[in-house]
Amino acid sequence: MTIPAHPTDPPRPIRTLLVATMRNEGPYIPEWLAYHRAIGFTDIVICTNDCVDGSPALLDRLQALGLLTHLPHVVEPGDKPQLAAYARAETLPILREADWVMVLDADEFLNIHVGEGRVIDLIRAVPGSTAVLVNWRIFGSSGHRTWSSGFVTERYTRAAPLEHGVNRPYKTLFTRTEAYDCKLLPHQPRFPRPEALRTLRYVDGAGSTLPARYYDESCGDFLQSEPGAVSWRLAQINHYNTRSWEDYIVKHRRGGGLNVDWAREANWPVFDRNEEEDLSIAAKLPAVRASYDKLLMDEGIRTLHERCCRLYATHVGVLARDVTAADCGSGPR
């Protein structure tokens, strides 16, 4: 797919932007980056704050090589870290230049099931739409207690069944950024300008047109798919919400990016879903592995990634000592 240019100019390829906020995700950044570059995102912005795992230095090296934009962010008192970082990212010129935009977290992978599994294939599958709402598929720990720097996409293959309620939230691939007052938010752009409402068309994971309440702000509640309406026909978000139990205690200590408190012991069984095996992402992994290996051929990236893994292991060790035997009983054995 291309964008028409001046009649005398050749058409240019579309630009697809991926934006993420990350904190203490250093061991997992190369795989996440390699994966999303392999499926066709042309531009990637990663915001960080208050990391103890050395990941900002790794991201700076990746930025120096032209592979992403790293936006370090200082969280001010009272800020919601994610929202403040997204607001800052909205000022970047790349947001105005991008044709399609998506926001994902470090534990989320866009898994496209149409065409060759690339972002452009998903866009082509929904002609005339301005946004695709792609549901989560929640992946559990697959029985892993300890963390590993190995591929998340290979290690965690057990997931929630389609009908489970944890899959109802979605992430949004969208165009027309100028239509919204809030462009970058965790799940979808918000507050479209009144004059833009009639130009918007949202579709779900099956490509079916959704009612206006999904974007016109007439529904004040958190938007997610209706019960029984989740579809992964076109794509899904592989959401590795827990990873291992050790990763999960790191995630809990980090806290949510919206300053919402959550109970580790109560949330673990909700999201540690392992009922079904899902290997649908596997066909993409040889290309991802090749991209990943190429990244680590750079001595700077390799050295900084190894440092991230060492610091992350130290962080895990400190947190694990704070977890009592009773707490561990709620995690996998």
Side-chain angles (χ1 to χ4, degrees), residues 174-322:
F174 68 100
T175 187
R176 300 280 319 280
T177 57
E178 76 283 355
Y180 303 94
D181 285 330
C182 289
K183 301 166 178 57
L184 301 179
L185 289 170
H187 291 273
Q188 68 176 71
R190 297 289 301 272
F191 309 109
R193 293 169 182 153
E195 66 273 16
L197 283 173
R198 61 183 178 82
T199 69
L200 300 179
R201 177 175 172 254
Y202 281 29
V203 299
D204 63 16
S208 301
T209 300
L210 290 164
R213 67 175 180 272
Y214 279 85
Y215 55 81
D216 68 3
E217 301 301 323
S218 62
C219 179
D221 297 331
F222 174 71
L223 291 178
Q224 54 187 359
S225 297
E226 299 292 338
V230 172
S231 174
W232 301 319
R233 186 176 69 83
L234 300 179
Q236 66 190 51
I237 302 295
N238 282 24
H239 188 185
Y240 302 95
N241 184 280
T242 63
R243 299 188 188 125
S244 71
W245 175 247
E246 288 184 341
D247 289 303
Y248 200 65
I249 62 175
V250 171
K251 183 175 185 175
H252 181 262
R253 173 58 64 91
R254 179 192 71 208
L258 301 178
N259 291 343
V260 176
D261 290 333
W262 49 282
R264 184 184 65 222
E265 293 77 18
N267 278 266
W268 173 267
V270 173
F271 290 102
D272 186 26
R273 311 313 319 173
N274 300 284
E275 291 91 335
E276 297 179 355
E277 185 175 54
D278 182 345
L279 300 177
S280 61
I281 205 169
K284 302 178 179 69
L285 298 188
V288 176
R289 177 64 69 178
S291 179
Y292 176 92
D293 289 345
K294 186 175 180 180
L295 284 178
L296 293 191
M297 287 176 64
D298 178 83
E299 183 178 358
I301 292 176
R302 185 173 63 256
T303 300
L304 291 167
H305 181 241
E306 290 170 351
R307 178 172 179 263
C308 285
C309 292
R310 290 195 302 272
L311 292 173
Y312 188 88
T314 299
H315 188 48
V316 168
V318 170
L319 297 181
R321 287 196 293 271
D322 296 334

Side-chain angles (χ1 to χ4, degrees), residues 99-166:
D99 301 300
W100 288 78
V101 180
M102 193 168 207
V103 171
L104 292 177
D105 293 333
D107 57 4
E108 296 174 324
F109 289 69
L110 175 59
N111 184 7
I112 297 168
H113 301 317
V114 291
E116 297 179 353
R118 295 172 60 81
V119 179
I120 191 63
D121 297 311
L122 180 56
I123 294 169
R124 286 172 175 160
V126 290
S129 69
T130 60
V132 192
L133 308 186
V134 185
N135 283 104
W136 283 347
R137 184 167 199 183
I138 295 294
F139 283 72
S141 67
S142 292
H144 294 294
R145 179 175 180 77
T146 58
W147 80 277
S148 167
S149 61
F151 267 24
V152 169
T153 48
E154 292 177 340
R155 195 170 192 230
Y156 303 103
T157 61
R158 307 294 302 185
L162 179 68
E163 64 276 6
H164 199 290
V166 293

Side-chain angles (χ1 to χ4, degrees), residues 11-31:
R12 66 172 178 84
I14 71 166
R15 294 181 70 176
T16 52
L17 169 65
L18 181 59
V19 180
T21 58
M22 297 186 185
R23 185 181 177 198
N24 296 329
E25 298 283 1
Y28 304 112
I29 286 171
E31 178 195 3

Side-chain angles (χ1 to χ4, degrees), residues 30-84:
E31 178 195 3
W32 188 91
L33 175 63
Y35 179 89
H36 288 102
R37 284 176 57 85
I39 67 168
F41 279 101
T42 60
D43 299 274
I44 295 176
V45 174
I46 296 179
C47 310
T48 59
N49 66 275
D50 303 314
C51 296
V52 299
D53 69 342
S55 53
L58 172 61
L59 290 165
D60 285 344
R61 177 60 182 170
L62 291 164
Q63 176 175 255
L65 294 174
L67 299 173
L68 53 77
T69 297
H70 176 214
L71 198 62
H73 180 66
V74 176
V75 180
E76 301 294 339
D79 275 355
K80 295 182 177 180
Q82 268 192 322
L83 300 188

